[in-house]
Amino acid sequence: KPLRKAMMKKKYSRSCPLIQLFAAASVTSCLVTGAIAGSLNGTVRDPGGKAIVGAIVTLTDDRGVSELVYTNYDGAFHLATDMEGSLELWIRKRYHRDDLRKLDLAQDANISLEAVLRPLTDLNELSEDHPTLSHFSLIAFDPNETALFSRPNFARDCVSCHSLGEAVTRTKRPLEDWTATVGRMHAYLGNGDPELALARAEMLAKAFDGTPATSNSVVPTDPLLFAAKVYRWRLDGSLVPHDPAVHKGNNRVYTVDMMLGAILETDLKTGETLTHIEPADGMPPGGVFTQMGMPAPYGMKVPRAPHSLAEGKDGKFYMTDLVGNSIAMFDPKTRKFEHHQIDPAARALYPHTIRTDKEGILWFTIAFSNQVGRFDPESGNMKIIPLPDSASLSIVGGPSPYGIDINPKDGSVWYTKLAADRIGRIDPKTLEIKEFDSPVRGPRRQRFDAAGRLWTAGFSEGAIVRIDVDSWNSKIFRLPVFAPDEVPTPYALAIHPGTQEVWVNDTMLDLVWRFLPDEERFIAYPLPIKGTYTREFTFTREGWACTTNNSLNQFIEGGVPELICIDVDTKEAKK
């Protein structure tokens, strides 16, 4: 059930010779009975007997909870699990045919298996197995990198909210269909020029004409993957789960879903997710946009749309409500909401990313109106701070204040302008503002490390940057490129509180990145679902790195968004 949708039209083998199970258990019709919920061991090879390295081996139970590991250089894997009963085993490796099995596992058993994955040979099947980035890269971008339709600006404009080139958007369609779609998307970005919409539509119609992708984008397997275990929880009923945050008190993960108008509460131990709908509290469908006689962004019908969240000093979550134009409070203990409306006189629109400083003050960017907000939960005082004017470098109708974080050394507040390639500093006491040119294009979400260095994701650059904010000296680290000209698009990054490693979200490669600063080394953790688009990382008490598969649900293979946590160094792997 959990994987039936996920497989979509993917072909996979059910023939018995492809997988042999040994566990002092009878094997009938490829179904193991009387086996385990203890450990699963085996090897994955191609038909010639060669080990397949980095294959993703996933077990899923009837709750939709999955655990996965990766095969090593010998094609071997070891997966210890507490799951039992009827499980689905899914083995996937890019450019190979999937293998999907059912296992009945009893407690404390141990089974071994051998699997054979057959390479894909059909050009269309191979093309379908390419990541979204390979298809996006078929677009004939303007070689002038400052041009409106250059690759950096195309990424900034067209893949900031969702992927472009995954299974749905790369479907061949008439030019007039593309023109209507692009016109609508440009309108969301504040640009109604019909000539620009037609020009981009022509580029997309030409790129997505059914020509197969042939770039052979192969993710190298790092040996650190062999110690990792990845957990996944289906978020059934969710639409666009945006940012997650681990609550310091109960260690549960809370995820805001902007399209559903809700906050999701996931218990990682039980696998249960509760959905808490944000009340309208006087707002009509479409929020303040409807009140002003404007269409709501992305055609949203909800009255409240939580986008980003941060835990306050009081243990409550504070969220930017992008259509309701408020800071919403959610109390995990009572599961009640409150709304603190932004004064209409401030002419603020689209509160975006939010962070908490050491004093418990909430700071947030306001994307559509070039502002930053400051909110004191104790007093209820809210102040909206206008930012300096900055020219947009793409078709976006403004500079688009985006990421924000607090310097742990002096409490200064730092923000990015995604469309203007600017990074700014606000003095928390005087509210004095100073802006700088960003070292990377498309600066998006950012975080400070414990030493007070600012790390920023360069979405249009395919890089992350470390900035010494006192000297403004910086060092850029470019993400690995797996096929010619297929530059990654890092959305956000977060600093692991224990290790100070940098975790980076990716939008079009079906993976996430872990960066080791001391070694200046990236490790790619492949994820099994095509169309994966992760938003932001948060960390559990155990040190797991958690994120959401956030793309619009119709763009994700199987149509079900998910919460993902990575344990980079499992105890089982050390045995």
Side-chain angles (χ1 to χ4, degrees):
K1 296 174 185 176
L3 289 177
R4 188 169 298 135
K5 290 184 179 179
M7 303 311 298
M8 297 178 72
K9 295 181 180 179
K10 178 76 176 181
K11 296 180 180 178
Y12 55 89
S13 172
R14 289 186 177 274
S15 59
C16 292
L18 290 186
I19 193 167
Q20 300 172 7
L21 306 174
F22 307 89
S26 62
V27 181
T28 305
S29 300
C30 294
L31 182 68
V32 180
T33 57
I36 76 147
S39 66
L40 182 67
N41 305 278
T43 58
V44 181
R45 304 184 183 279
D46 67 15
K50 183 179 178 181
I52 295 180
V53 184
I56 305 171
V57 181
T58 304
L59 277 180
T60 303
D61 66 14
D62 58 7
R63 301 170 299 169
V65 178
S66 298
E67 299 177 2
L68 70 85
V69 294
Y70 304 93
T71 56
N72 64 18
Y73 293 124
D74 296 322
F77 67 88
H78 171 76
L79 198 166
T81 181
D82 291 329
M83 294 191 296
E84 60 180 291
S86 179
L87 306 176
E88 288 181 319
L89 172 66
W90 179 26
I91 304 175
R92 167 169 278 187
K93 175 69 175 180
R94 185 174 291 170
Y95 308 135
H96 290 75
R97 202 170 301 284
D98 292 354
D99 199 298
L100 180 63
R101 302 282 166 169
K102 282 195 175 293
L103 304 176
D104 280 342
L105 305 181
Q107 286 187 341
D108 301 325
N110 185 328
I111 66 172
S112 298
L113 61 87
E114 295 178 359
V116 175
L117 298 186
R118 301 187 180 279
L120 298 174
T121 57
D122 179 81
L123 279 180
N124 289 320
E125 284 189 316
L126 284 166
S127 179
E128 290 298 307
D129 236 29
H130 276 70
T132 300
L133 183 60
S134 297
H135 296 275
F136 175 74
S137 300
L138 294 174
I139 300 169
F141 304 109
D142 191 318
N144 177 0
E145 294 203 343
T146 64
L148 283 181
F149 294 153
S150 66
R151 184 189 187 100
N153 279 331
F154 223 104
R156 194 192 321 251
D157 293 343
C158 296
V159 297
S160 287
C161 297
H162 55 76
S163 294
L164 177 61
E166 38 56 55
V168 174
T169 57
R170 69 173 178 256
T171 302
K172 185 177 180 179
R173 67 196 71 190
L175 176 61
E176 54 268 27
D177 287 2
W178 272 118
T179 304
T181 298
V182 173
R184 185 174 71 254
M185 296 298 165
H186 279 199
Y188 293 153
L189 298 176
N191 190 309
D193 187 330
E195 292 185 3
L196 285 177
L198 176 60
R200 197 188 297 270
E202 289 174 341
M203 296 173 71
L204 293 171
K206 184 176 180 180
F208 302 140
D209 64 353
T211 302
T214 58
S215 61
N216 193 35
S217 175
V218 176
V219 182
T221 302
D222 191 285
L224 288 183
L225 263 65
F226 309 150
K229 188 174 184 180
V230 181
Y231 300 85
R232 297 165 46 235
W233 295 262
R234 288 192 312 162
L235 300 177
D236 291 300
S238 65
L239 297 177
V240 182
H242 213 273
D243 295 350
V246 173
H247 190 269
K248 294 183 179 66
N250 61 26
N251 207 35
R252 295 184 179 184
V253 180
Y254 292 79
T255 305
V256 287
D257 189 322
M258 52 188 268
M259 290 291 189
L260 189 62
I263 186 168
L264 313 177
E265 176 186 349
T266 303
D267 186 326
L268 303 186
K269 293 183 178 179
T270 66
E272 181 183 25
T273 294
L274 301 176
T275 299
H276 308 291
I277 300 294
E278 192 172 349
D281 202 9
M283 273 293 158
V288 297
F289 290 86
T290 301
Q291 288 181 336
M292 293 186 293
M294 300 167 56
Y298 327 120
M300 295 169 68
K301 303 298 184 184
V302 291
R304 303 282 181 176
H307 184 271
S308 173
L309 76 169
E311 185 176 345
K313 288 185 69 175
D314 54 9
K316 301 173 183 178
F317 280 114
Y318 293 86
M319 305 171 288
T320 49
D321 166 21
L322 62 87
V323 298
N325 230 34
S326 75
I327 296 302
M329 183 280 293
F330 175 78
D331 188 336
K333 292 182 178 179
T334 65
R335 295 169 174 164
K336 301 294 185 182
F337 291 86
E338 290 179 3
H339 292 105
H340 303 269
Q341 291 296 140
I342 299 174
D343 186 346
R347 300 181 66 85
L349 201 59
Y350 208 99
H352 197 277
T353 305
I354 190 166
R355 301 286 183 244
T356 313
D357 70 14
K358 288 183 179 180
E359 305 303 320
I361 304 298
L362 282 300
W363 297 84
F364 55 98
T365 51
I366 308 175
F368 284 6
S369 51
N370 194 33
Q371 296 163 316
V372 162
R374 178 190 184 277
F375 175 65
D376 183 348
E378 288 191 6
S379 67
N381 181 56
M382 187 180 299
K383 184 174 182 58
I384 303 302
I385 305 161
L387 299 180
D389 290 336
S390 306
S392 172
L393 301 176
S394 65
I395 63 102
V396 178
S400 191
Y402 205 95
I404 194 166
D405 203 23
I406 317 299
N407 189 334
K409 296 300 184 181
D410 63 6
S412 56
V413 180
W414 293 77
Y415 61 86
T416 63
K417 288 183 174 178
L418 173 64
D421 289 354
R422 300 282 281 173
I423 297 176
R425 178 190 188 275
I426 301 176
D427 186 299
K429 293 184 172 58
T430 67
L431 303 185
E432 179 184 1
I433 299 171
K434 186 175 182 180
E435 286 195 349
F436 306 84
D437 288 330
S438 171
V440 289
R441 287 170 295 182
R444 224 166 165 176
R445 294 236 170 129
Q446 57 185 7
R447 290 287 195 174
F448 278 93
D449 63 19
R453 297 173 299 188
L454 181 62
W455 293 81
T456 304
F459 186 71
S460 297
E461 186 90 0
I464 62 174
V465 62
R466 182 185 65 209
I467 305 170
D468 182 334
V469 294
D470 293 326
S471 65
W472 207 246
N473 290 328
S474 62
K475 186 167 185 178
I476 296 173
F477 305 97
R478 301 196 180 281
L479 279 75
V481 174
F482 300 141
D485 300 321
E486 295 187 8
V487 180
T489 50
Y491 169 84
L493 52 78
I495 311 299
H496 193 290
T499 64
Q500 293 295 289
E501 294 172 354
V502 184
W503 284 83
V504 185
N505 298 90
D506 193 277
T507 60
M508 294 201 289
L509 274 170
D510 301 335
L511 53 78
V512 295
W513 306 91
R514 174 187 173 199
F515 180 69
L516 310 183
D518 292 342
E519 302 178 32
E520 298 186 357
R521 169 182 162 205
F522 286 97
I523 302 155
Y525 288 82
L527 299 171
I529 300 296
K530 296 177 185 177
T532 291
Y533 189 120
T534 61
R535 283 288 179 180
E536 184 143 287
F537 274 105
T538 182
F539 303 96
T540 68
R541 288 178 195 157
E542 300 85 356
W544 296 359
C546 301
T547 187
T548 55
N549 190 347
N550 158 269
S551 187
L552 298 174
N553 58 359
Q554 67 265 34
F555 292 170
I556 303 174
E557 181 183 17
V560 180
E562 57 186 358
L563 173 67
I564 303 163
C565 292
I566 302 175
D567 180 359
V568 301
D569 197 13
T570 62
K571 294 179 180 179
E572 293 84 0
K574 295 178 180 178
K575 293 180 180 179

